[in-house]
Amino acid sequence: MPHRSRLHAPVFLALVLSLAASVPVAVRSAPAKVSTLEDIQKEFATVPCEDKERLAAVKALYEKAGAPAADIKIEQFDNVENLVLVKPGASAEKIVIGAHYDKVADGCGAVDNWTGQVALTQLYQTLRDIPFKKTLVFVAFGREEKGLVGSRAMTKAIPEEQLPEYCAMINIDSLGMGPPQVADNMSSKPLAKFTGELAKEMEIPFAHASIGRANSDSSSFVAKQIPAVTIHGLNNNWQRVLHSGNDQPAKVNAASVYLGYRLALGMIVRLDQAACNAYR
Ligand SMILES: [Zn+2]
């Protein structure tokens, strides 16, 4: 990540400025703590490598991030469990921030997708005490690798008349190898364009990079006409790492996870200020 030192100051400033604009005076004296590269690096010291340990480990990550245990819900469907944490806003309009917690049999699922869990829980920690207009819904999806089972179950359960309340969905799947990128083949066009423009404004290196023949949980939302994007952080070596014994904690470049976190943080703040149908 050679751009890091050049990027840090303007990225930080842009974020603080945009956060300040949305935060009431009373809270400004105690600004939200933006996670550092070191905070994120620490989370990869131990990664739960067994699929059956993952859901409990995600719950523990949210608790460590300051979530009251009673707010962390396990949504049980016929064949899958999602972990859901709702941060109520001033309105019922929602921004969903999701990442799958399951992994394939091979490897440790560190890149795919413990990076997503770390990014989401750091986002929660940064945002949890800031009043938002919109309600933030953090979701850890189960069984993505078996065909987007968790995200399909969630979107199928949304009553038709509530669909317009879902303003946007940001899915994080497999950061940790390169700069953040939007997988256009799993994302809605207006939201993908917004993501690229914001990355440019924040001076975060970014690209549009479809992952051919692959899919992720954003597609379940796109299918319901909810604007959604998948952000990944893969590089040209991804086929040698993902879904293989090589997907280990040592393969995770924390700077890639950090940049994905920063981009998603900027997106959430901006989307909160936008009209709910702005990217539909
Ligand atoms: Zn994945």
Side-chain angles (χ1 to χ4, degrees):
M1 255 327 120
H3 297 96
R4 205 170 67 229
S5 54
R6 187 173 66 78
L7 285 171
H8 190 82
V11 169
F12 185 75
L13 191 63
L15 180 75
V16 168
L17 286 176
S18 52
L19 275 177
S22 68
V23 175
V25 176
V27 204
R28 274 189 204 153
S29 56
K33 185 190 168 295
V34 176
S35 302
T36 63
L37 176 61
E38 290 69 31
D39 293 333
I40 285 176
Q41 179 107 53
K42 271 186 218 152
E43 294 300 335
F44 292 95
T46 59
V47 172
C49 295
E50 293 294 329
D51 206 35
K52 61 181 190 305
E53 303 170 343
R54 305 272 273 203
L55 187 55
V58 175
K59 188 166 185 277
L61 265 192
Y62 275 105
E63 286 178 358
K64 201 171 108 187
D71 289 1
I72 305 171
K73 309 270 196 252
I74 305 295
E75 289 195 346
Q76 191 100 39
F77 297 91
D78 287 346
N79 51 356
V80 69
E81 290 174 314
N82 296 334
L83 181 150
V84 180
L85 184 60
V86 176
K87 174 185 158 6
S91 81
E93 292 178 347
K94 292 168 188 60
I95 303 169
V96 178
I97 308 120
H100 75 85
Y101 66 85
D102 63 311
K103 60 179 279 289
V104 297
D106 290 339
C108 186
V111 169
D112 184 11
N113 185 28
W114 199 249
T115 58
Q117 297 313 320
V118 169
L120 255 67
T121 48
Q122 297 284 325
L123 287 166
Y124 172 78
Q125 182 169 269
T126 305
L127 298 172
R128 74 173 187 229
D129 296 327
I130 300 179
F132 269 68
K133 292 178 192 160
K134 296 185 176 65
T135 292
L136 304 185
V137 183
F138 293 85
V139 192
F141 295 112
R143 301 187 71 206
E144 186 269 354
E145 303 287 7
K146 300 287 186 210
L148 320 183
V149 179
S151 55
R152 282 191 176 144
M154 179 183 171
T155 51
K156 199 178 153 200
I158 300 173
E160 195 76 21
E161 67 275 13
Q162 285 178 20
L163 285 172
E165 288 176 1
Y166 286 76
C167 312
M169 189 272 182
I170 302 167
N171 180 50
I172 299 185
D173 192 350
S174 303
L175 297 169
M177 298 182 75
Q181 294 143 80
V182 161
D184 284 328
N185 59 316
M186 315 166 194
S187 305
S188 21
K189 261 196 184 146
L191 203 60
K193 184 166 174 271
F194 156 80
T195 308
E197 288 168 356
L198 183 64
K200 194 173 174 197
E201 190 187 324
M202 293 175 78
E203 299 184 42
I204 289 178
F206 172 87
H208 290 269
S210 292
I211 302 295
R213 289 184 290 120
N215 215 340
S216 190
D217 292 309
S218 56
S219 296
S220 305
F221 288 79
V222 173
K224 290 280 186 180
Q225 275 81 50
I226 297 167
V229 285
T230 284
I231 296 172
H232 67 83
L234 299 174
N235 66 14
N236 290 336
N237 271 334
W238 72 271
Q239 281 165 312
R240 265 176 274 173
V241 174
L242 260 62
H243 297 191
S244 82
N246 292 325
D247 189 352
Q248 299 294 335
K251 286 285 190 300
V252 175
N253 176 340
S256 164
V257 182
Y258 171 75
L259 288 175
Y261 153 84
R262 293 305 297 263
L263 178 57
L265 190 52
M267 290 172 76
I268 295 166
V269 170
R270 274 294 160 79
L271 288 170
D272 187 55
Q273 293 165 347
C276 187
N277 61 4
Y279 298 98
R280 222 172 274 274

PDB file of all heavy atoms in Angstrom, residues 220-245:
ATOM      1  N   SER A 220     -28.690 -10.301  -3.727  1.00  0.00           N
ATOM      2  CA  SER A 220     -30.020 -10.584  -3.174  1.00  0.00           C
ATOM      3  C   SER A 220     -30.821  -9.298  -3.012  1.00  0.00           C
ATOM      4  O   SER A 220     -32.043  -9.297  -3.119  1.00  0.00           O
ATOM      5  CB  SER A 220     -29.887 -11.280  -1.817  1.00  0.00           C
ATOM      6  OG  SER A 220     -29.095 -12.436  -1.928  1.00  0.00           O
ATOM      7  N   PHE A 221     -30.130  -8.200  -2.741  1.00  0.00           N
ATOM      8  CA  PHE A 221     -30.793  -6.904  -2.569  1.00  0.00           C
ATOM      9  C   PHE A 221     -31.094  -6.282  -3.934  1.00  0.00           C
ATOM     10  O   PHE A 221     -32.177  -5.734  -4.138  1.00  0.00           O
ATOM     11  CB  PHE A 221     -29.921  -5.985  -1.705  1.00  0.00           C
ATOM     12  CG  PHE A 221     -29.907  -6.402  -0.253  1.00  0.00           C
ATOM     13  CD1 PHE A 221     -29.107  -7.459   0.166  1.00  0.00           C
ATOM     14  CD2 PHE A 221     -30.719  -5.781   0.675  1.00  0.00           C
ATOM     15  CE1 PHE A 221     -29.106  -7.877   1.499  1.00  0.00           C
ATOM     16  CE2 PHE A 221     -30.730  -6.188   2.007  1.00  0.00           C
ATOM     17  CZ  PHE A 221     -29.924  -7.240   2.423  1.00  0.00           C
ATOM     18  N   VAL A 222     -30.134  -6.385  -4.862  1.00  0.00           N
ATOM     19  CA  VAL A 222     -30.358  -5.875  -6.221  1.00  0.00           C
ATOM     20  C   VAL A 222     -31.600  -6.544  -6.812  1.00  0.00           C
ATOM     21  O   VAL A 222     -32.420  -5.889  -7.455  1.00  0.00           O
ATOM     22  CB  VAL A 222     -29.120  -6.128  -7.117  1.00  0.00           C
ATOM     23  CG1 VAL A 222     -29.413  -5.759  -8.569  1.00  0.00           C
ATOM     24  CG2 VAL A 222     -27.912  -5.332  -6.607  1.00  0.00           C
ATOM     25  N   ALA A 223     -31.767  -7.834  -6.532  1.00  0.00           N
ATOM     26  CA  ALA A 223     -32.923  -8.579  -7.060  1.00  0.00           C
ATOM     27  C   ALA A 223     -34.246  -8.030  -6.531  1.00  0.00           C
ATOM     28  O   ALA A 223     -35.284  -8.222  -7.144  1.00  0.00           O
ATOM     29  CB  ALA A 223     -32.793 -10.057  -6.711  1.00  0.00           C
ATOM     30  N   LYS A 224     -34.194  -7.341  -5.393  1.00  0.00           N
ATOM     31  CA  LYS A 224     -35.404  -6.720  -4.811  1.00  0.00           C
ATOM     32  C   LYS A 224     -35.462  -5.220  -5.122  1.00  0.00           C
ATOM     33  O   LYS A 224     -36.169  -4.459  -4.455  1.00  0.00           O
ATOM     34  CB  LYS A 224     -35.421  -6.924  -3.295  1.00  0.00           C
ATOM     35  CG  LYS A 224     -35.675  -8.352  -2.858  1.00  0.00           C
ATOM     36  CD  LYS A 224     -37.174  -8.663  -2.939  1.00  0.00           C
ATOM     37  CE  LYS A 224     -37.468 -10.031  -2.357  1.00  0.00           C
ATOM     38  NZ  LYS A 224     -38.916 -10.337  -2.440  1.00  0.00           N
ATOM     39  N   GLN A 225     -34.667  -4.777  -6.105  1.00  0.00           N
ATOM     40  CA  GLN A 225     -34.601  -3.359  -6.497  1.00  0.00           C
ATOM     41  C   GLN A 225     -34.134  -2.446  -5.349  1.00  0.00           C
ATOM     42  O   GLN A 225     -34.491  -1.279  -5.283  1.00  0.00           O
ATOM     43  CB  GLN A 225     -35.952  -2.857  -7.036  1.00  0.00           C
ATOM     44  CG  GLN A 225     -36.167  -3.143  -8.514  1.00  0.00           C
ATOM     45  CD  GLN A 225     -36.631  -4.574  -8.748  1.00  0.00           C
ATOM     46  OE1 GLN A 225     -37.567  -5.025  -8.109  1.00  0.00           O
ATOM     47  NE2 GLN A 225     -35.975  -5.274  -9.655  1.00  0.00           N
ATOM     48  N   ILE A 226     -33.351  -3.007  -4.429  1.00  0.00           N
ATOM     49  CA  ILE A 226     -32.711  -2.185  -3.394  1.00  0.00           C
ATOM     50  C   ILE A 226     -31.299  -1.876  -3.890  1.00  0.00           C
ATOM     51  O   ILE A 226     -30.545  -2.801  -4.219  1.00  0.00           O
ATOM     52  CB  ILE A 226     -32.651  -2.926  -2.040  1.00  0.00           C
ATOM     53  CG1 ILE A 226     -34.074  -3.204  -1.520  1.00  0.00           C
ATOM     54  CG2 ILE A 226     -31.841  -2.128  -1.012  1.00  0.00           C
ATOM     55  CD1 ILE A 226     -34.142  -4.181  -0.358  1.00  0.00           C
ATOM     56  N   PRO A 227     -30.944  -0.566  -3.983  1.00  0.00           N
ATOM     57  CA  PRO A 227     -29.592  -0.247  -4.468  1.00  0.00           C
ATOM     58  C   PRO A 227     -28.535  -0.913  -3.574  1.00  0.00           C
ATOM     59  O   PRO A 227     -28.588  -0.791  -2.353  1.00  0.00           O
ATOM     60  CB  PRO A 227     -29.517   1.277  -4.338  1.00  0.00           C
ATOM     61  CG  PRO A 227     -30.947   1.741  -4.301  1.00  0.00           C
ATOM     62  CD  PRO A 227     -31.725   0.640  -3.648  1.00  0.00           C
ATOM     63  N   ALA A 228     -27.593  -1.617  -4.180  1.00  0.00           N
ATOM     64  CA  ALA A 228     -26.609  -2.368  -3.391  1.00  0.00           C
ATOM     65  C   ALA A 228     -25.276  -2.430  -4.128  1.00  0.00           C
ATOM     66  O   ALA A 228     -25.239  -2.410  -5.359  1.00  0.00           O
ATOM     67  CB  ALA A 228     -27.123  -3.782  -3.119  1.00  0.00           C
ATOM     68  N   VAL A 229     -24.208  -2.468  -3.353  1.00  0.00           N
ATOM     69  CA  VAL A 229     -22.868  -2.655  -3.934  1.00  0.00           C
ATOM     70  C   VAL A 229     -22.106  -3.698  -3.129  1.00  0.00           C
ATOM     71  O   VAL A 229     -22.283  -3.813  -1.919  1.00  0.00           O
ATOM     72  CB  VAL A 229     -21.980  -1.386  -3.928  1.00  0.00           C
ATOM     73  CG1 VAL A 229     -22.399  -0.398  -4.974  1.00  0.00           C
ATOM     74  CG2 VAL A 229     -21.894  -0.739  -2.562  1.00  0.00           C
ATOM     75  N   THR A 230     -21.235  -4.427  -3.807  1.00  0.00           N
ATOM     76  CA  THR A 230     -20.228  -5.236  -3.114  1.00  0.00           C
ATOM     77  C   THR A 230     -18.883  -4.544  -3.255  1.00  0.00           C
ATOM     78  O   THR A 230     -18.451  -4.227  -4.364  1.00  0.00           O
ATOM     79  CB  THR A 230     -20.140  -6.665  -3.683  1.00  0.00           C
ATOM     80  OG1 THR A 230     -21.252  -7.418  -3.202  1.00  0.00           O
ATOM     81  CG2 THR A 230     -18.852  -7.371  -3.239  1.00  0.00           C
ATOM     82  N   ILE A 231     -18.245  -4.322  -2.100  1.00  0.00           N
ATOM     83  CA  ILE A 231     -16.882  -3.799  -2.085  1.00  0.00           C
ATOM     84  C   ILE A 231     -15.951  -4.957  -1.735  1.00  0.00           C
ATOM     85  O   ILE A 231     -16.174  -5.650  -0.737  1.00  0.00           O
ATOM     86  CB  ILE A 231     -16.734  -2.668  -1.054  1.00  0.00           C
ATOM     87  CG1 ILE A 231     -17.627  -1.499  -1.469  1.00  0.00           C
ATOM     88  CG2 ILE A 231     -15.275  -2.218  -0.931  1.00  0.00           C
ATOM     89  CD1 ILE A 231     -17.706  -0.405  -0.434  1.00  0.00           C
ATOM     90  N   HIS A 232     -14.938  -5.184  -2.547  1.00  0.00           N
ATOM     91  CA  HIS A 232     -13.920  -6.187  -2.234  1.00  0.00           C
ATOM     92  C   HIS A 232     -12.561  -5.507  -2.278  1.00  0.00           C
ATOM     93  O   HIS A 232     -12.443  -4.333  -2.663  1.00  0.00           O
ATOM     94  CB  HIS A 232     -13.995  -7.380  -3.196  1.00  0.00           C
ATOM     95  CG  HIS A 232     -13.623  -7.056  -4.614  1.00  0.00           C
ATOM     96  ND1 HIS A 232     -12.326  -7.007  -5.047  1.00  0.00           N
ATOM     97  CD2 HIS A 232     -14.388  -6.754  -5.707  1.00  0.00           C
ATOM     98  CE1 HIS A 232     -12.293  -6.710  -6.336  1.00  0.00           C
ATOM     99  NE2 HIS A 232     -13.536  -6.543  -6.764  1.00  0.00           N
ATOM    100  N   GLY A 233     -11.551  -6.259  -1.875  1.00  0.00           N
ATOM    101  CA  GLY A 233     -10.196  -5.708  -1.909  1.00  0.00           C
ATOM    102  C   GLY A 233      -9.249  -6.763  -2.439  1.00  0.00           C
ATOM    103  O   GLY A 233      -8.204  -7.035  -1.847  1.00  0.00           O
ATOM    104  N   LEU A 234      -9.640  -7.363  -3.559  1.00  0.00           N
ATOM    105  CA  LEU A 234      -8.833  -8.449  -4.126  1.00  0.00           C
ATOM    106  C   LEU A 234      -7.786  -7.883  -5.082  1.00  0.00           C
ATOM    107  O   LEU A 234      -7.900  -6.766  -5.559  1.00  0.00           O
ATOM    108  CB  LEU A 234      -9.746  -9.443  -4.853  1.00  0.00           C
ATOM    109  CG  LEU A 234     -10.789 -10.112  -3.942  1.00  0.00           C
ATOM    110  CD1 LEU A 234     -11.754 -10.962  -4.767  1.00  0.00           C
ATOM    111  CD2 LEU A 234     -10.112 -10.951  -2.870  1.00  0.00           C
ATOM    112  N   ASN A 235      -6.765  -8.679  -5.349  1.00  0.00           N
ATOM    113  CA  ASN A 235      -5.812  -8.313  -6.401  1.00  0.00           C
ATOM    114  C   ASN A 235      -5.728  -9.471  -7.390  1.00  0.00           C
ATOM    115  O   ASN A 235      -6.525 -10.417  -7.322  1.00  0.00           O
ATOM    116  CB  ASN A 235      -4.448  -7.924  -5.798  1.00  0.00           C
ATOM    117  CG  ASN A 235      -3.760  -9.098  -5.116  1.00  0.00           C
ATOM    118  OD1 ASN A 235      -4.149 -10.263  -5.296  1.00  0.00           O
ATOM    119  ND2 ASN A 235      -2.739  -8.808  -4.327  1.00  0.00           N
ATOM    120  N   ASN A 236      -4.760  -9.420  -8.291  1.00  0.00           N
ATOM    121  CA  ASN A 236      -4.707 -10.429  -9.355  1.00  0.00           C
ATOM    122  C   ASN A 236      -4.402 -11.844  -8.866  1.00  0.00           C
ATOM    123  O   ASN A 236      -4.540 -12.804  -9.614  1.00  0.00           O
ATOM    124  CB  ASN A 236      -3.680 -10.019 -10.419  1.00  0.00           C
ATOM    125  CG  ASN A 236      -4.173  -8.820 -11.205  1.00  0.00           C
ATOM    126  OD1 ASN A 236      -5.384  -8.584 -11.273  1.00  0.00           O
ATOM    127  ND2 ASN A 236      -3.258  -8.052 -11.772  1.00  0.00           N
ATOM    128  N   ASN A 237      -3.966 -11.941  -7.609  1.00  0.00           N
ATOM    129  CA  ASN A 237      -3.657 -13.262  -7.040  1.00  0.00           C
ATOM    130  C   ASN A 237      -4.851 -13.928  -6.377  1.00  0.00           C
ATOM    131  O   ASN A 237      -4.689 -14.973  -5.743  1.00  0.00           O
ATOM    132  CB  ASN A 237      -2.583 -13.112  -5.949  1.00  0.00           C
ATOM    133  CG  ASN A 237      -1.196 -13.205  -6.530  1.00  0.00           C
ATOM    134  OD1 ASN A 237      -0.998 -13.832  -7.572  1.00  0.00           O
ATOM    135  ND2 ASN A 237      -0.247 -12.568  -5.869  1.00  0.00           N
ATOM    136  N   TRP A 238      -6.022 -13.323  -6.489  1.00  0.00           N
ATOM    137  CA  TRP A 238      -7.133 -13.771  -5.636  1.00  0.00           C
ATOM    138  C   TRP A 238      -7.481 -15.243  -5.836  1.00  0.00           C
ATOM    139  O   TRP A 238      -7.845 -15.928  -4.883  1.00  0.00           O
ATOM    140  CB  TRP A 238      -8.363 -12.879  -5.813  1.00  0.00           C
ATOM    141  CG  TRP A 238      -9.112 -13.011  -7.113  1.00  0.00           C
ATOM    142  CD1 TRP A 238      -8.871 -12.316  -8.247  1.00  0.00           C
ATOM    143  CD2 TRP A 238     -10.233 -13.864  -7.378  1.00  0.00           C
ATOM    144  NE1 TRP A 238      -9.761 -12.684  -9.223  1.00  0.00           N
ATOM    145  CE2 TRP A 238     -10.605 -13.632  -8.721  1.00  0.00           C
ATOM    146  CE3 TRP A 238     -10.944 -14.797  -6.625  1.00  0.00           C
ATOM    147  CZ2 TRP A 238     -11.675 -14.305  -9.323  1.00  0.00           C
ATOM    148  CZ3 TRP A 238     -12.003 -15.468  -7.231  1.00  0.00           C
ATOM    149  CH2 TRP A 238     -12.354 -15.221  -8.561  1.00  0.00           C
ATOM    150  N   GLN A 239      -7.314 -15.743  -7.071  1.00  0.00           N
ATOM    151  CA  GLN A 239      -7.709 -17.142  -7.299  1.00  0.00           C
ATOM    152  C   GLN A 239      -6.780 -18.137  -6.610  1.00  0.00           C
ATOM    153  O   GLN A 239      -7.137 -19.278  -6.405  1.00  0.00           O
ATOM    154  CB  GLN A 239      -7.815 -17.432  -8.793  1.00  0.00           C
ATOM    155  CG  GLN A 239      -9.139 -16.889  -9.332  1.00  0.00           C
ATOM    156  CD  GLN A 239      -9.187 -16.796 -10.821  1.00  0.00           C
ATOM    157  OE1 GLN A 239      -8.255 -16.272 -11.440  1.00  0.00           O
ATOM    158  NE2 GLN A 239     -10.244 -17.304 -11.417  1.00  0.00           N
ATOM    159  N   ARG A 240      -5.579 -17.653  -6.235  1.00  0.00           N
ATOM    160  CA  ARG A 240      -4.653 -18.518  -5.493  1.00  0.00           C
ATOM    161  C   ARG A 240      -4.913 -18.493  -3.982  1.00  0.00           C
ATOM    162  O   ARG A 240      -4.316 -19.247  -3.235  1.00  0.00           O
ATOM    163  CB  ARG A 240      -3.204 -18.111  -5.777  1.00  0.00           C
ATOM    164  CG  ARG A 240      -2.605 -18.959  -6.886  1.00  0.00           C
ATOM    165  CD  ARG A 240      -1.216 -18.480  -7.227  1.00  0.00           C
ATOM    166  NE  ARG A 240      -1.284 -17.405  -8.201  1.00  0.00           N
ATOM    167  CZ  ARG A 240      -0.248 -16.689  -8.612  1.00  0.00           C
ATOM    168  NH1 ARG A 240       0.944 -16.909  -8.104  1.00  0.00           N
ATOM    169  NH2 ARG A 240      -0.394 -15.761  -9.515  1.00  0.00           N
ATOM    170  N   VAL A 241      -5.768 -17.571  -3.546  1.00  0.00           N
ATOM    171  CA  VAL A 241      -6.010 -17.409  -2.106  1.00  0.00           C
ATOM    172  C   VAL A 241      -7.435 -17.826  -1.720  1.00  0.00           C
ATOM    173  O   VAL A 241      -7.630 -18.676  -0.846  1.00  0.00           O
ATOM    174  CB  VAL A 241      -5.723 -15.949  -1.678  1.00  0.00           C
ATOM    175  CG1 VAL A 241      -6.109 -15.725  -0.219  1.00  0.00           C
ATOM    176  CG2 VAL A 241      -4.245 -15.618  -1.899  1.00  0.00           C
ATOM    177  N   LEU A 242      -8.420 -17.229  -2.378  1.00  0.00           N
ATOM    178  CA  LEU A 242      -9.807 -17.491  -1.992  1.00  0.00           C
ATOM    179  C   LEU A 242     -10.184 -18.954  -2.185  1.00  0.00           C
ATOM    180  O   LEU A 242      -9.775 -19.586  -3.163  1.00  0.00           O
ATOM    181  CB  LEU A 242     -10.768 -16.600  -2.799  1.00  0.00           C
ATOM    182  CG  LEU A 242     -11.271 -15.358  -2.043  1.00  0.00           C
ATOM    183  CD1 LEU A 242     -10.122 -14.453  -1.676  1.00  0.00           C
ATOM    184  CD2 LEU A 242     -12.309 -14.609  -2.842  1.00  0.00           C
ATOM    185  N   HIS A 243     -10.974 -19.468  -1.248  1.00  0.00           N
ATOM    186  CA  HIS A 243     -11.505 -20.831  -1.323  1.00  0.00           C
ATOM    187  C   HIS A 243     -10.373 -21.863  -1.419  1.00  0.00           C
ATOM    188  O   HIS A 243     -10.527 -22.894  -2.080  1.00  0.00           O
ATOM    189  CB  HIS A 243     -12.486 -20.985  -2.501  1.00  0.00           C
ATOM    190  CG  HIS A 243     -13.695 -20.107  -2.357  1.00  0.00           C
ATOM    191  ND1 HIS A 243     -14.799 -20.232  -3.161  1.00  0.00           N
ATOM    192  CD2 HIS A 243     -13.979 -19.104  -1.488  1.00  0.00           C
ATOM    193  CE1 HIS A 243     -15.709 -19.326  -2.791  1.00  0.00           C
ATOM    194  NE2 HIS A 243     -15.230 -18.640  -1.786  1.00  0.00           N
ATOM    195  N   SER A 244      -9.253 -21.555  -0.789  1.00  0.00           N
ATOM    196  CA  SER A 244      -8.130 -22.503  -0.792  1.00  0.00           C
ATOM    197  C   SER A 244      -7.463 -22.494   0.579  1.00  0.00           C
ATOM    198  O   SER A 244      -7.750 -21.628   1.414  1.00  0.00           O
ATOM    199  CB  SER A 244      -7.088 -22.102  -1.850  1.00  0.00           C
ATOM    200  OG  SER A 244      -6.235 -21.087  -1.342  1.00  0.00           O
ATOM    201  N   GLY A 245      -6.552 -23.438   0.770  1.00  0.00           N
ATOM    202  CA  GLY A 245      -5.782 -23.500   2.006  1.00  0.00           C
ATOM    203  C   GLY A 245      -4.936 -22.264   2.235  1.00  0.00           C
ATOM    204  O   GLY A 245      -4.424 -22.033   3.331  1.00  0.00           O
TER     205      GLY A 245
END
